[in-house]
Amino acid sequence: MTEKTILRALKGEVLPTPPIWMMRQAGRYLPEYRATRAQAGDFLSLCYTPDLAAEVTLQPIRRFGFDAAILFADILLICQALGAKLWFETGEGPRLSTVTSAAEIEALKPADAIHDTLAPVYETVRILSRELPKETTLIGFAGAPWTVATYMVAGRGTRDQGPAHALKTSDRAAFQALIDRLTDATIDYLSMQVQVGAEVVKLFDSWAGSLKGQDFTDFAVAPTARIIAELKSRHPGLPIIAFPREAGQGYVGFARATGADCVALDNSVSPEWAAANVQVDGCVQGNLAPGYMVTGGPEMDTAIRQVVRAFAKGPHIFNLGHGITPEADPDNVARMIEVVRGG
Ligand code: 1CP
C-alpha cells in the first residue's frame, strides 16, 4: 500500500498536489454537524460520547474527502481531567473554575490521573481508526501548555490573555509549575491517543503570539520541545505538527528549536515569506485566510492558487490559517479542494 499523502509530506516529501485538511472541519458550518450536536444536547456531551464524536469527525471526510481527519474533542477537556470545572455558555464560549495560586496549582490531579475523564476520547480514536477510509490520516491533538494555561488562569477565553500574563509576572515560579503540570499531562494524553490509533499529533498554541522575547522561549518553545522529545522517545517516528499561532518572527527556526516535523502557519504571514523563512526547515501547513470560506468567488480561487504556488517547492499540507467559522459556505470548501487538486 502506498503511504498516506499527509505522512509523506510530514517526512519532507514534495508532492505534486499538497494534501489538504481544514481546522475545525467538523463544525457549525455543516448542517449535519448541527444535527448531531443537537442530538448530543450540548457541546461537552458531544465530546464525551464516542459514537457521536466519531460521527462528526467522519462527516467532513464523507462530504469532502479530506486527506486527514482530526479527532473531535476540545483543548480544554484536559483541564477537566486535571480537576477544574468546565462548562460552555451557549453563544459565549468556555467557562472554567480558575487556578491562580501556587496552592491551587499544587492541588491539581497528577498527570497519570487524567485518563479516567478522557477515556471516551480514547474510545473515539479507536472507533475512528477502524472506520476511516484507508487513505485518510487520523490526527490527534492537544492544546499547548501556554494556551491551556491562559484559559485555566482566566476561567474563560480572553482577548489579551491578561490574567495569565499577570500571574506569570507576579509569581513566575507558580506559573512555571502550572506549565510543568500541563506539559506532563499533555505528554500522557497525546501518548495515549497514539497508543489507541492517532497517526499524527498536533499541538495548538493559539495564543503563542502574545508571548514576547524570553517568554516565547520559556513558555511556547520549551514546553513544546519537551512534549515532542518525550513523545518521540515513546513513539519513534511519530510525526508532530506544532501551531504557534501568530508567532510572526517566532516561526523562524521553530521546527529546529522544538523538533516539530511541521509548523502550521496562520494567515498573518505571507506564504512567500513563510516559504523563504520557515519551509526551509521542513514541512509547513497553511495558510489560507478562513474568511474566503465565507466570501468565495474568484478572489478565493486566486488566493488558494497563491498559497499552493508559494509552497510548491517544499513539503506542504494545505490548510486554513485558523479554524473555519460558522458562517462559512460548504460549497466554498468543496471548491477550495477542487482548486488545490488542480481544478
Ligand atoms: O458549539 C459548538 O459546537 C462549539 C464550537 C467548538 C468546536 C467545533 C468548540 C468550542 N470546540 C470545537 C472543536 C475543536 N476545538 C476541535 C475539533 C476538531 C476540528 O478542528 O474539527 C479542535 C481541534 C479544537 C481546538 C480548540 N478549542 C482551540 C485551538 C484552536 C483554535 O481555534 O485556536 C481552542 C482555543 C479551543 C477552545 C474553544 N473551544 C470552543 C471555543 C468556542 C473555543 C474558543 C474560546 C475562546 O477563546 O473564546
Side-chain angles (χ1 to χ4, degrees), residues 21-29 33-34 37 42-44 46-47 56-57 60 69-76 88-95 139-144 147-148 150-151 156-159 161 202-207 243 245 321-324 326:
W21 68 281
M22 189 175 71
M23 282 186 270
R24 293 273 167 100
Q25 63 190 21
R28 286 167 291 177
Y29 75 106
Y33 170 86
R34 295 195 296 269
R37 190 176 178 290
D42 61 82
F43 176 69
L44 281 178
L46 179 54
C47 291
V56 295
T57 307
I70 183 158
L71 163 69
F72 190 85
D74 196 82
I75 65 162
L76 301 177
F88 279 77
E89 293 284 347
T90 314
E92 289 191 40
R95 294 289 182 274
I139 303 176
F141 74 93
T147 288
V148 176
T150 67
Y151 290 93
R156 57 187 300 163
T158 49
R159 203 186 297 263
Q161 298 75 59
K202 178 171 175 184
L203 278 168
F204 285 89
D205 213 348
S206 302
W207 301 118
F243 183 33
R245 190 170 73 89
H322 199 194
I324 188 168

Side-chain angles (χ1 to χ4, degrees), residues 10-340:
L10 287 167
K11 282 183 180 162
E13 202 177 318
V14 184
L15 299 166
T17 298
I20 176 170
W21 68 281
M22 189 175 71
M23 282 186 270
R24 293 273 167 100
Q25 63 190 21
R28 286 167 291 177
Y29 75 106
L30 287 179
E32 59 268 38
Y33 170 86
R34 295 195 296 269
T36 309
R37 190 176 178 290
Q39 192 187 338
D42 61 82
F43 176 69
L44 281 178
S45 303
L46 179 54
C47 291
Y48 286 124
T49 308
D51 285 339
L52 299 183
E55 167 58 24
V56 295
T57 307
L58 290 164
Q59 284 168 351
I61 307 305
R62 286 190 207 114
R63 188 194 264 254
F64 301 115
F66 284 114
D67 296 298
I70 183 158
L71 163 69
F72 190 85
D74 196 82
I75 65 162
L76 301 177
L77 303 184
I78 202 166
C79 309
Q80 207 169 24
L82 287 166
K85 292 192 176 57
L86 171 68
W87 68 103
F88 279 77
E89 293 284 347
T90 314
E92 289 191 40
R95 294 289 182 274
L96 302 96
S97 53
T98 59
V99 178
T100 55
S101 67
E104 283 171 343
I105 293 162
E106 182 57 32
L108 291 172
K109 291 186 194 169
D112 60 5
I114 63 174
H115 301 305
D116 284 349
T117 304
L118 297 169
V121 176
Y122 308 140
E123 185 54 28
T124 305
V125 174
R126 285 193 193 92
I127 297 170
L128 288 168
S129 58
R130 284 197 304 270
E131 296 198 358
L132 276 169
K134 63 177 187 344
E135 66 276 13
T136 313
T137 301
L138 177 57
I139 303 176
F141 74 93
W146 158 252
T147 288
V148 176
T150 67
Y151 290 93
M152 291 188 89
V153 175
R156 57 187 300 163
T158 49
R159 203 186 297 263
D160 61 358
Q161 298 75 59
H165 284 290
L167 179 62
K168 169 166 66 61
T169 304
S170 65
D171 191 345
R172 201 167 177 99
F175 189 74
Q176 183 69 56
L178 176 58
I179 294 290
D180 291 344
R181 298 291 284 264
L182 286 168
T183 302
D184 290 340
T186 303
I187 290 165
D188 284 357
Y189 182 36
L190 290 175
S191 185
M192 192 63 89
Q193 291 182 28
V194 173
Q195 277 180 54
V196 295
E199 299 167 281
V200 172
V201 296
K202 178 171 175 184
L203 278 168
F204 285 89
D205 213 348
S206 302
W207 301 118
S210 80
L211 290 168
K212 303 297 172 201
Q214 191 62 39
D215 283 346
F216 185 80
T217 305
D218 291 351
F219 300 121
V221 176
T224 299
R226 185 150 83 81
I227 292 166
I228 292 176
E230 183 60 29
L231 286 174
K232 288 199 180 254
S233 94
R234 293 190 197 179
H235 310 280
L238 172 70
I240 302 175
I241 304 171
F243 183 33
R245 190 170 73 89
E246 292 191 356
Q249 285 294 329
Y251 281 127
V252 181
F254 196 82
R256 266 178 286 138
T258 60
D261 300 275
C262 175
V263 175
L265 302 159
D266 73 88
N267 49 281
S268 71
V269 294
S270 84
E272 292 78 14
W273 176 87
N277 293 284
V278 188
Q279 199 186 29
V280 288
D281 291 331
C283 189
V284 292
Q285 177 180 281
N287 70 342
L288 184 74
Y292 286 114
M293 296 299 103
V294 182
T295 56
E299 296 81 5
M300 175 182 81
D301 289 12
T302 304
I304 293 167
R305 293 194 177 101
Q306 186 196 342
V307 172
V308 171
R309 197 178 319 113
F311 292 124
K313 294 200 180 74
H316 177 218
I317 298 169
F318 194 96
N319 205 308
L320 304 179
H322 199 194
I324 188 168
T325 55
E327 318 77 59
D329 181 345
D331 289 345
N332 291 332
V333 176
R335 174 67 188 157
M336 169 177 72
I337 296 173
E338 193 177 77
V339 175
V340 169

